[in-house]
Amino acid sequence: MAMNLGELNRVACAMVQKGKGILAADESSGTIKKRFDKIGVDSTEENRRDYREMLFRSADGMKHISGVILYDETIRQKAKDGTPLVKLIEKAGAIPGIKVDKGTKPLPFSKDETITEGLDGLRERLSEYHGLSARFAKWRATYTPTQGRPSYNCISANGHALARYAALCQDENIVPIVEPEVLMDFDNSIDDCEAVTEWVLKETFAQLYYANVALEGMVLKPNMVISGMKAEKRAGVEEVAERTVKVLKRCVPSAVPGIAFLSGGQSDEEATAHLNAMNAAHPDLPWALTFSYGRALQAAPQKAWSGKADNVPAAQRAFAHRAAMNGLASKGGWKSDLEKQAA
Ligand code: 13P
């Protein structure tokens, strides 16, 4: 199949259209078990299906969702009534996507660093996923901004893997979400996050260039420039927004249609406020800025659901609320009062 850049660009632009963002529902079996443990739900295939079916059937929530990232199990699953889950997503006006990396593994000879695996056999898997309706994919690499880390070895090896993945995606007519994530679980300052994010993005775009990736047919999914969760003094909303935009301007070519942030452990409202502040202060950026949130979209509905069918309407309301708030933030139109009204 020859690459169709016009089609890749059309899909990438649809993924980052104003007022909408991406639902990252691609938790691996291990991660979704962690989330379910928190709400006292067994992580069975049926419970995972029921939970995700509930999200995809939330018409009010899906109004603000342009694409959904799925895990291998979910892209093959059927709703209770036999409808494939991908059909529910398409019916709701969103594009199905698929996580294709095989997770982070220890990077040899480099304490506390990881390399993302999953390149072997990737072309064949992408081709199968295209047949299962996936029109975009995701690959996540992680970097630690603390104690002299990351190493250049980590940045370059992960950048190379991201670029090889992205090139394979485009060759199979799938839009790659390129996700280099500087982690925020530590006590590092926002200065450290800024310096590491800039280095990681510069190297990632160099590798994308060497691999002949067409920037018009991809979406970047970065972290925000933010203080570590355990930092003594954490930067406020305006500072996070300004520093994030500054680094993106330095590193992301304007040929990229859009940037969809991960939430990375920020609270729901923090993730919304940060995105909103960037869009409110910078209406004329060369790329769209939107969300590709996992936890910041799902923590509230998971809590409201807690595995009980009776709680489905409340959980769908919680999902719709967060999706609507983030949809507004993608246009710079969110206000904190809107959160209080809903509470
Ligand atoms: P979070 O928004 O929970 O960080 O998840 C997004 C994601 O897809 C991480 O790979």
Side-chain angles (χ1 to χ4, degrees), residues 190 225-227 231 233-240 243 270 274:
I190 190 168
V225 174
I226 195 167
S227 316
K233 225 181 104 246
R234 299 194 65 217
V237 172
E238 298 311 316
E239 189 175 358
V240 169
R243 289 205 194 205
E270 238 184 344
H274 288 149

Side-chain angles (χ1 to χ4, degrees), residues 24 26 138 140 179 181 221 262-265 292-295:
D26 60 324
K138 180 193 107 170
R140 171 176 177 257
E179 182 178 6
E181 175 176 5
K221 176 164 174 169
L262 59 95
S263 59
S292 176
Y293 293 162
R295 283 163 283 182

Side-chain angles (χ1 to χ4, degrees), residues 14 53 57 95 167 247 307 316 329:
E53 177 176 351
R57 282 195 191 278
I95 306 167
V247 169
Q316 287 181 326

Side-chain angles (χ1 to χ4, degrees), residues 237-254:
V237 172
E238 298 311 316
E239 189 175 358
V240 169
E242 287 316 306
R243 289 205 194 205
T244 303
V245 168
K246 178 176 75 178
V247 169
L248 293 173
K249 279 184 173 173
R250 287 179 175 178
C251 302
V252 186
S254 54

